Structure formats: C-alpha cells, structure tokens
C-alpha cells in the first residue's frame, strides 16, 4: 500500500508549483515575453505510441522521469498545471550565458521571478522539439513534493498539442497523436485556457459545478477548491481540519476534508480528499475554482487530450480506495535520520498534546528513523487505527506518548 499521506512526510498532498502564464509587464530591458519567444517546432516520431516513458511516483504523488535537453539527461516532473516548461536554476542543464529576464509567474505561496533560456533540442519519449526554450527559476525540493530536487517541470507548452496517456498502474506514460483513443472509459471535458494556458476541466461537488478546475499532474493532492467554492458546494456536516502545502512561492496552510462524492464528467469518485484554500488563495488569484491533482488521477489510467476536448478515465483495481486519514494530526518532513514537524493539524490529538511546528522526532516506538522512511513500514504509524498509542522519541532524548484518534 502506497502511503501518499506520508510523503515529506505527510502528503495528503503537498501540492507543487502551479504557475500560470508568466507576466511580461514591468519587465526589465531585454525581457523575453511569452508572445515574443521562439516556440520551437515539435514533432512526434512515427513510432511514438511505442515509446513509453517509465516513471516513479515521488512521495508527493508526482510523475518523475528522465528526458533530455540539448543532449543532456535531466530529471523531470510532468506538470500540466504549468504554462511553460520550467528548469531549475541550479540544474547542470542551465547555460548562464544564455539566460534572459523572463518576467514573473504566480505560484502557490506567492510570486516568482523567472528567467528564460533558449534550447536547441528537447526530447521526451517520442516527442522532439527543435528550438524553443524553457523558463528558469528556483525549484526547491519541497516545491516538488520530494526529498530531493528535480531539474525540470514539463508544462503545457510541450504537452498540449498531443494526447497524454498516463498508465499509473504500470508507471509509464506516452505522448501520442491527438484524437487517438487507446482505451475506453469514463469521460470529462478538457481544454487549455486562453489566458492561463493550462489544462482545465470541471467537477461537481454536492449540488454545485465548480469550474474552471486546473487539471494539474504536478499537484500531488487529490482535489483542491477555493474557500468560496467550498462554502457554496460542500455537503453539510462534514468535519474539516488543516494541512500544509508547499509551492514554488512557499508554504500555505489550507483546510482539509473528505468529500463523500466527487463527479468529473461521467466519472463518480467516492470518499475523496479535498483541500480548501484560504481566502484569496492561489486558485482565486488566477481566476479558477481549484485543481484536480495527481493524488486523484493516480487511481485511474488517464488520457489527457485537450485538442480533442476530452479526458478519459479507465478504472483500475485501486480506483476509489478509502483515503488514508491522519489519526495523529502531525504533518512532517524527513531530514536524514529525523522527522521535523511542518504542521500540526487543527483539532487533532497532536494539537491537544501541545506539539509545535519545528519539533523533532528521532525514534518511533524505539525504532530509529530510517533513510527510506517515506516508503518504509514504520511510516504507517501516523495513520494507525484510532486508540493506538505511539511513543515518539525526541532528538533530545525525551519521549512522548501520542494516542491516536479520528478527528475529521
């Protein structure tokens, strides 16, 4: 069982960067605005359908793989919530002499300064783009929901002219010609917005349709909605708590609930995690109703084909699993051989016991924190059944007993 609740450590979600169209106004002299950039020429190979790209899911539910920029291999995350492919400023693929000012982007947590770097060739599976370029910015590990940083976020500019077939069960994806239908399933509308330049659809929550919803493979959460959307659509009586999200612009505290039913086109999903952004949060600031993230998509084989106006969901044996709920109320990050408390969830047992952000844990029931903690069996302690008692050893030699319970 994959513990997506315990990513860095607790990834009920850790949404990553979700930047929209970089702004070109008030740019420095020499700035390369989106409209004036060389877009490059992208072509699919004749055998593109056979060129599957293997990937692994990061602890934050993001699709991580390897591709090439100018002949150099880079690690990348598939991110349909980003308008323009983004290269980490610290990546070895950055050629500093080529960098130009590139305006600003709105991201989770705030605004981010961008640069622009032209490229000769970009290769992803059966797709090769000649010319064009990438945006360049700081891309810390926490912003990508992983314990280690990646080089690249692959965005709409490289992906949207083709159909994207993601087979989460076999950990592989491919780009194929738009219009192809490699499998049958439940469908929902999909397009690319003219202003934000990202993949968008809609959901039905309760009796309300919320739109537009960014379809964001780079967001490790399941469903995220604005505070206003939640007030309009939420079924009555649902208990909520809080969680923390990390984007390129920093950390954001959001609400968290489990919705009994979410509809995406003809697809009906039960018991789905929903994050509720604070007032004037990221989605509201860019004029959307929220996001559909990889934490939701990963339960299906998914075809994203915005040119054909559709996405297709094929149910798998893991579709509609019960979400893992924290019974501890502690959201943590892994720091080598220790855990660091990043957030104490509202109304949980950890809050009642006085846990604070920054507290350190070096042992769980007397067992030291292993280096492979996010995928190790010991990581299940935070979602054990209510009534369980866990002894958490501090790095200062003290210990505290936390009794777990259901609280949302």
């Amino acid at each position: 069982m994959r513990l997506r609740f315990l990513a860095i450590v607790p990834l009920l979600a850790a949404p990553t960067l979700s930047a929209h169209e970089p702004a070109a106004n008030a740019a420095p002299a020499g700035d390369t605005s989106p409209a004036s950039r060389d877009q490059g020429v992208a072509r699919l190979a004749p055998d593109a359908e056979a060129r599957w790209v293997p990937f692994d899911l990061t602890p934050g539910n993001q699709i991580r793989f390897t591709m090439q920029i100018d002949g150099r291999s880079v690690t990348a995350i598939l991110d349909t919530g980003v308008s323009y492919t983004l290269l980490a400023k610290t990546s070895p693929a950055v050629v500093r002499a080529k960098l130009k000012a590139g305006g600003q982007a709105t991201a989770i947590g705030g605004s981010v300064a961008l640069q622009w770097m032209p490229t000769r060739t970009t290769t992803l599976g059966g797709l090769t783009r000649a010319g064009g370029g990438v945006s360049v910015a700081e891309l810390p590990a926490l912003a990508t929901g992983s314990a280690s940083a990646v080089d690249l976020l692959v965005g709409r500019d490289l992906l949207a002219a083709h159909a994207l077939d993601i087979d989460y069960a076999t950990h592989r994806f491919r780009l194929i010609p738009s219009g192809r239908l490699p499998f049958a399933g439940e469908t929902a509308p999909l397009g690319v917005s003219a202003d934000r330049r990202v993949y968008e659809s809609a959901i039905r929550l309760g009796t309300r349709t919320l739109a537009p919803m960014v379809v964001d493979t780079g967001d490790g959460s399941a469903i995220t909605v604005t505070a206003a959307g939640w007030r309009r659509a939420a079924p009555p009586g649902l208990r909520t708590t809080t969680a923390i999200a990390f984007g390129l612009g920093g950390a954001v505290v959001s609400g968290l609930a489990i919705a009994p039913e979410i509809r995406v086109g003809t697809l009906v999903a039960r018991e789905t995690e929903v994050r509720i952004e604070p007032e004037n949060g990221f989605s509201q600031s860019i004029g959307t109703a929220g996001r559909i993230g990889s934490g939701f998509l990963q339960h299906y084989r998914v075809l994203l084909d915005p040119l054909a106006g559709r996405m297709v969901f094929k149910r798998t044996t893991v579709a509609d699993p019960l979400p893992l709920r924290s019974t501890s109320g502690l959201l943590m990050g892994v720091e080598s051989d220790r855990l660091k408390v990043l957030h104490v969830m509202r109304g949980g047992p950890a809050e009642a016991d006085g846990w604070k952000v920054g507290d350190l844990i070096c042992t769980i029931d007397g067992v030291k924190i292993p280096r492979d903690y996010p995928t190790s069996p010991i990581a299940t302690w935070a979602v054990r059944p209510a009534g369980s008692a866990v002894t958490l050893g501090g790095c200062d030699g003290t210990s505290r007993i936390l009794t777990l319970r259901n609280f949302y």
Side-chain angles (χ1 to χ4, degrees), residues 38-43 70 119-123 127-133 158:
D38 171 20
Q39 302 299 306
V41 178
R43 292 188 175 89
D70 293 341
T119 55
R120 299 187 306 276
T121 59
T122 305
T123 305
L127 175 71
T128 299
R129 184 179 70 186
L158 271 174

Short mmCIF file of all heavy atoms in Angstrom, two decimals, residues 38-43 70 119-123 127-133 158:
data_model
loop_
_atom_site.label_atom_id
_atom_site.label_comp_id
_atom_site.label_asym_id
_atom_site.label_seq_id
_atom_site.Cartn_x
_atom_site.Cartn_y
_atom_site.Cartn_z
N ASP A 38 10.66 32.28 -29.13
CA ASP A 38 10.68 31.22 -30.13
C ASP A 38 9.97 30.01 -29.53
O ASP A 38 10.41 29.46 -28.52
CB ASP A 38 12.14 30.88 -30.47
CG ASP A 38 12.25 29.63 -31.33
OD1 ASP A 38 11.25 29.26 -31.98
OD2 ASP A 38 13.35 29.04 -31.35
N GLN A 39 8.86 29.60 -30.15
CA GLN A 39 8.09 28.48 -29.61
C GLN A 39 8.66 27.13 -30.01
O GLN A 39 8.29 26.10 -29.45
CB GLN A 39 6.63 28.58 -30.07
CG GLN A 39 5.94 29.87 -29.67
CD GLN A 39 5.89 30.07 -28.17
OE1 GLN A 39 5.41 29.20 -27.45
NE2 GLN A 39 6.36 31.21 -27.69
N GLY A 40 9.57 27.13 -30.98
CA GLY A 40 10.16 25.88 -31.45
C GLY A 40 9.18 25.09 -32.31
O GLY A 40 8.01 25.45 -32.48
N VAL A 41 9.67 24.00 -32.88
CA VAL A 41 8.85 23.12 -33.72
C VAL A 41 8.91 21.72 -33.12
O VAL A 41 10.00 21.12 -33.04
CB VAL A 41 9.34 23.10 -35.17
CG1 VAL A 41 8.50 22.12 -36.00
CG2 VAL A 41 9.27 24.50 -35.77
N ALA A 42 7.77 21.19 -32.69
CA ALA A 42 7.72 19.89 -32.04
C ALA A 42 7.12 18.85 -32.99
O ALA A 42 6.12 19.13 -33.67
CB ALA A 42 6.91 19.96 -30.76
N ARG A 43 7.71 17.67 -33.01
CA ARG A 43 7.21 16.58 -33.85
C ARG A 43 7.21 15.27 -33.07
O ARG A 43 8.14 15.02 -32.29
CB ARG A 43 8.07 16.43 -35.10
CG ARG A 43 7.96 17.59 -36.09
CD ARG A 43 8.69 17.26 -37.38
NE ARG A 43 8.50 18.30 -38.38
CZ ARG A 43 9.27 19.37 -38.52
NH1 ARG A 43 10.29 19.53 -37.69
NH2 ARG A 43 9.01 20.27 -39.44
N ASP A 70 19.03 19.54 -24.88
CA ASP A 70 20.30 19.76 -25.59
C ASP A 70 21.27 18.59 -25.38
O ASP A 70 22.46 18.77 -25.17
CB ASP A 70 20.94 21.08 -25.14
CG ASP A 70 20.13 22.28 -25.58
OD1 ASP A 70 19.31 22.14 -26.50
OD2 ASP A 70 20.32 23.37 -25.00
N THR A 119 16.71 26.83 -26.10
CA THR A 119 17.26 25.48 -26.21
C THR A 119 17.37 25.08 -27.68
O THR A 119 16.64 25.59 -28.53
CB THR A 119 16.38 24.46 -25.47
OG1 THR A 119 15.05 24.54 -25.98
CG2 THR A 119 16.37 24.72 -23.98
N ARG A 120 18.26 24.12 -27.95
CA ARG A 120 18.39 23.59 -29.31
C ARG A 120 17.40 22.46 -29.55
O ARG A 120 16.65 22.47 -30.51
CB ARG A 120 19.82 23.11 -29.57
CG ARG A 120 20.88 24.19 -29.45
CD ARG A 120 22.24 23.68 -29.89
NE ARG A 120 22.64 22.46 -29.18
CZ ARG A 120 23.23 22.44 -27.99
NH1 ARG A 120 23.48 23.59 -27.35
NH2 ARG A 120 23.56 21.30 -27.41
N THR A 121 17.43 21.46 -28.66
CA THR A 121 16.51 20.32 -28.78
C THR A 121 16.02 19.90 -27.40
O THR A 121 16.75 19.95 -26.41
CB THR A 121 17.21 19.10 -29.43
OG1 THR A 121 18.34 18.71 -28.66
CG2 THR A 121 17.62 19.41 -30.86
N THR A 122 14.77 19.49 -27.37
CA THR A 122 14.16 18.94 -26.16
C THR A 122 13.49 17.63 -26.55
O THR A 122 12.69 17.60 -27.48
CB THR A 122 13.12 19.92 -25.58
OG1 THR A 122 13.73 21.19 -25.37
CG2 THR A 122 12.57 19.41 -24.27
N THR A 123 13.83 16.54 -25.85
CA THR A 123 13.33 15.21 -26.23
C THR A 123 12.63 14.56 -25.06
O THR A 123 13.19 14.46 -23.96
CB THR A 123 14.48 14.31 -26.71
OG1 THR A 123 15.18 14.96 -27.78
CG2 THR A 123 13.94 12.98 -27.22
N LEU A 127 8.56 12.49 -28.58
CA LEU A 127 8.45 13.90 -28.96
C LEU A 127 9.82 14.56 -28.98
O LEU A 127 10.59 14.43 -28.03
CB LEU A 127 7.55 14.64 -27.97
CG LEU A 127 7.42 16.16 -28.16
CD1 LEU A 127 6.60 16.46 -29.41
CD2 LEU A 127 6.79 16.80 -26.94
N THR A 128 10.11 15.28 -30.06
CA THR A 128 11.33 16.09 -30.14
C THR A 128 10.94 17.50 -30.56
O THR A 128 10.22 17.68 -31.55
CB THR A 128 12.33 15.51 -31.14
OG1 THR A 128 12.71 14.20 -30.72
CG2 THR A 128 13.58 16.38 -31.22
N ARG A 129 11.40 18.48 -29.79
CA ARG A 129 11.18 19.88 -30.16
C ARG A 129 12.51 20.50 -30.56
O ARG A 129 13.48 20.45 -29.80
CB ARG A 129 10.56 20.67 -29.01
CG ARG A 129 10.23 22.12 -29.40
CD ARG A 129 9.59 22.89 -28.26
NE ARG A 129 10.53 23.15 -27.18
CZ ARG A 129 10.20 23.72 -26.02
NH1 ARG A 129 8.93 24.05 -25.81
NH2 ARG A 129 11.11 23.93 -25.09
N ALA A 130 12.55 21.09 -31.74
CA ALA A 130 13.72 21.83 -32.20
C ALA A 130 13.49 23.31 -31.92
O ALA A 130 12.45 23.87 -32.28
CB ALA A 130 13.95 21.60 -33.68
N GLY A 131 14.44 23.95 -31.26
CA GLY A 131 14.28 25.35 -30.90
C GLY A 131 13.42 25.50 -29.66
O GLY A 131 13.26 24.59 -28.86
N GLY A 132 12.84 26.68 -29.50
CA GLY A 132 12.06 26.96 -28.30
C GLY A 132 12.96 27.23 -27.11
O GLY A 132 14.14 27.60 -27.26
N GLY A 133 12.44 27.04 -25.92
CA GLY A 133 13.23 27.30 -24.72
C GLY A 133 12.45 26.95 -23.48
O GLY A 133 11.34 26.41 -23.54
N LEU A 158 4.95 21.94 -23.98
CA LEU A 158 5.48 20.73 -24.62
C LEU A 158 4.40 19.66 -24.82
O LEU A 158 4.53 18.82 -25.71
CB LEU A 158 6.60 20.13 -23.77
CG LEU A 158 8.02 20.62 -24.05
CD1 LEU A 158 8.99 20.04 -23.03
CD2 LEU A 158 8.46 20.24 -25.45
#
